[in-house]
Amino acid sequence: MRTLHPFLRVLCVASLGLAGLTTTTAARADDETELAELLSENVVSGASRTHEIASDAPATTSTITAKDIRRYGIRSIAEAINFLGMGLVTQNPLHSVEVAGRGVLLTADFGNHVLLVVDGHVFNEPWDGTAYLEQGAAIPMEIIDHIELVLGPGSVLYGGNAMFGVVNVVTKRPASYSGVHVVGEFGASPQHGKGGTFTSFAPGDLGRSYRLATGVGHELTLFGKPAQITAQLELYQQDGPSFEWGPQPATTDTGAPKNFGKRTPLGTWGGRSQRQYATTVPALYTRLAWGDFTVAARVASYNRSTPYVNGFNQFRGDFDEPQNRERDRWISVDVQHRGRLGSRLTTLVRAYADTYDYRQDLIVSEPTDCSVTSAGQCLQSALGRSRWVGTELQANYDWRGDERLTTMVGVDGRVREVGGQTDVRDSATRILLGTLGQRDVRQFVWAAYAQQRYSPFSILHLNGGVRLDTDPRAGNRVSPRAAMALDAWRGGVLKTIYSEAFRAPTFYELYYEDSGQLPASGLRSEVVRGVEATVEQKIGQHRFLMGGFRTSWRNMVYLGAADNGLIQYQNAASIENYGYNARADGGFGDFTYGLSVTGAHSRRKTPDGTEALPAAPQFYGNARVAYDLPGSWPTVALATSFVGRRPADRINDGGFAVPPYAPAEVELRLTLSDRVPGFRDLSYRLATSYVTASRSPYVAGPTQYVDPAAPGPSPVAELAPVNRLTTFLTLQYDFSP
Amino acid sequence: MRSGRRTWLGLMLSGATLLVAGTARADASVPHQLQAQLVGKLASFDRNFQTRAAGTARILVVRKAGDAESARVADNLARALVALRQVGGMPTQVDVEAFPGAPGLAERCRAGKIAIVFFSTGLEGEMAAAGAALAGADILTVGTTASDASRGAVVAFDLEEGRAKIVVNLARARAQNVSFKAELLKLSRIVG
């Protein structure tokens, strides 16, 4: 019998060995891929107020992690939304940001169409429904574990304001924030000139921001029970950069030159603003978990000045006047207890209390702009205040004990006291000249909700819910939702969702009045109905999503003409909107990527006709890549946020001969982050942000409206500038146990 | 009804609920199905699992006797493990039993050639003793909440940044002859 040549024998053995190794290697690679896929599965709690895999949730969600917040140089919830989220986008008018959802933006709403929830506590306050998403949210970013963006009408479990959706913030527990942490951050921007040019990089001309923070995370035993505490105290301060404005000529109704204070010539608004663009936010957030109790508290203040007269919050006021400023203050406490009755019934009892006040001071040198007759310069102060205390009871019953058929029912009741007024004082003597629109109301508001979740098969997840809200301001509202998620094939999920949401008119919309505006006590709630369908595919760590949506908005509150030439909030508008969302994200080893895009078509119908939504971007999204360089090299991350061309806020009612549009805009942020070499517990984050556009979609200055009958050439709308270049450095020292 | 009375009624209802409600213990925030899938995968990263299992992945889910919640969680975990069909590349055999005490558990694992013990909720106070009794045994122990890894389980699960996180107690792993590959440890939080 012939035998194999020794060389061939070795070759055969080697081939078999290689085949085995390859198979084993491939199998191991498969295991790693599948493990990584499981560990990249998002678990969300905001959509159904139950922890579940995102693909099973009755909403389209996107999750922004603490790691990505740090890696991409994110400094606020608004930036997280713009650079890392899907479906929502914010715009910065050099004031608190305005938020848009799926192509719908309602200017001057101060965030009252999106619900901000932090650790289960709703942050929207009842005076004007405001939720801030920039640094004014007063939630230290280092303490955030993750942010869930729950898109679409979401009143079914949360009540009013959740019309664009819910921004659900979950803070860290000590396991991921252990020890004491000290943070210092410094940022700078150059002086800006006309047309978005950079006119000076001299140190004395730079705009600056500072942030100092100290945080703690600790596990302990308290009165014999395990306890966990996380807390962060911080101070954020920003001053500038300075911008150049106008000049815009302005006269009174009698043709006399208007007085905008001592920093601009009489009859002219404009020049370089150097004193009226600043922000200060001291904030403390803490969360204590003790046994079955969780206590969260926030104490914060948001002080800011906006450098220009505009059409959304500052209709009058002197130019570059540092006393023109706003201030919000909050104290919030939330106590939750999770209990169990038997093996199938869980309970949540929550008690909460908040106090809030708002103040806007405006120095007005033009007596005809003072709401009360004034001989000279007046100080006009808009004041708002609210306090509310409430309790929520929730029960969740697992009928079969396997979490596939569960019923949640809940009731939420609160007492709120809301008030407001406008005081006009002599600015020199501070003598009160008059008070307008003073009103204080105490109201009881309650709601009841129910949600049924059913998975008849492991691949099918059904969710139906309804909520009844009673609100003395606008009557009762019922908000339903029905959703289905089908695991149609391996890694593939099909979802369809129908949902509704509402927003009751705010105290401000109902009762505010001044010399030019009437109160509107007959307002009804705004309502949105939405339907959407999505397809999601997971391949290893890579996820892809594509979906379409359609929404219909009714009873939209709209500042329209009333009697005698005055204005008044009215339910006079409706919006029709449809579009698509798409998203892709994933990673290859140390390289991660993500991108999202939203395209929409939105039209508003008012008594004046059908029109585009002012300032609402119809095409926007983001893209990002990051790479953990090997060894002692840093992580490099590049994030971009883009917004398409969009009409300015006065496009429909400004009467400008050339309709004002803001150009398309791309913001690029490059971030380097790592441990400081040689310092184990000291880390840094160095970032630069550059914006391609020079103008935002907000008309600036007293020329907000053009009289078509006025002689002479029609003025061009001046659009507010954009801070185009910022560089900042963050250092964090971690005293770990 | 006046708002003041409504407030008091709400507070009384809340208080009544607090009085009758038992403890919820820490919710297993990572969904049970995902925990089971993770156990199914991480067994493949234990160098000694193939030898330990010897052809069949025998999994014992232990619950606290007389604790309805513990029994419910145990049943959910068992159901999810059975649905996997394979753990670490081997067919599964899943049993649910009441915790028989630390010595009893060690004997049960030895006699039954158990490869994985999955502790349901309610056994937080027993885990340290169970871990001591299993020292030297060739077995992977898993807890449902993050702190179980510090209490005595080799592996537990936490929810971090909205995603599941594997928590590994390396000292306990060494004591129980569990040798995880670096690829797994890189993705995990290490305690102990």
Side-chain angles (χ1 to χ4, degrees), chain A residues 246-319:
Chain A
Q248 295 184 22
T251 58
T252 67
D253 292 340
T254 59
K258 252 193 180 179
N259 187 349
F260 289 103
K262 58 189 177 187
R263 298 187 180 89
T264 184
L266 188 66
T268 302
W269 179 90
R272 177 164 287 283
S273 65
Q274 293 178 314
R275 302 166 187 84
Q276 193 181 330
Y277 181 40
T279 303
T280 302
V281 184
L284 166 67
Y285 188 87
T286 182
R287 181 167 169 270
L288 168 69
W290 179 63
D292 302 315
F293 284 90
T294 305
V295 181
R298 178 180 73 144
V299 181
S301 169
Y302 179 25
N303 309 270
R304 64 205 175 279
S305 52
T306 306
Y308 61 106
V309 170
N310 56 60
F312 53 84
N313 87 308
Q314 194 164 272
F315 309 107
R316 53 180 68 87
D318 284 4
F319 178 76

Side-chain angles (χ1 to χ4, degrees), chain A residues 55-56 485-489 491-495 534-538:
Chain A
S55 55
D56 296 345
L486 175 66
D487 301 338
W489 55 81
V493 179
L494 303 175
K495 267 193 205 177
T534 63
V535 177
E536 184 175 349
Q537 179 66 51
K538 285 176 282 191

Side-chain angles (χ1 to χ4, degrees), chain A residues 125-145:
Chain A
E125 48 75 24
W127 172 69
D128 202 25
T130 299
Y132 297 117
L133 299 176
E134 67 292 344
Q135 279 79 1
I139 303 163
M141 296 304 289
E142 287 82 11
I143 210 173
I144 294 178
D145 179 83

Side-chain angles (χ1 to χ4, degrees), chain A residues 80-101:
Chain A
I81 287 171
N82 286 355
F83 285 108
L84 305 175
M86 181 187 74
L88 299 179
V89 70
T90 70
Q91 299 191 113
N92 183 358
L94 304 183
H95 179 251
S96 54
V97 301
E98 299 214 312
V99 60

Side-chain angles (χ1 to χ4, degrees), chain A residues 714-734:
Chain A
S714 176
V716 176
E718 177 178 352
L719 297 181
V722 171
N723 182 357
R724 299 186 61 212
L725 182 64
T726 302
T727 296
F728 62 91
L729 172 67
T730 311
L731 293 172
Q732 178 169 329
Y733 198 93
D734 302 308

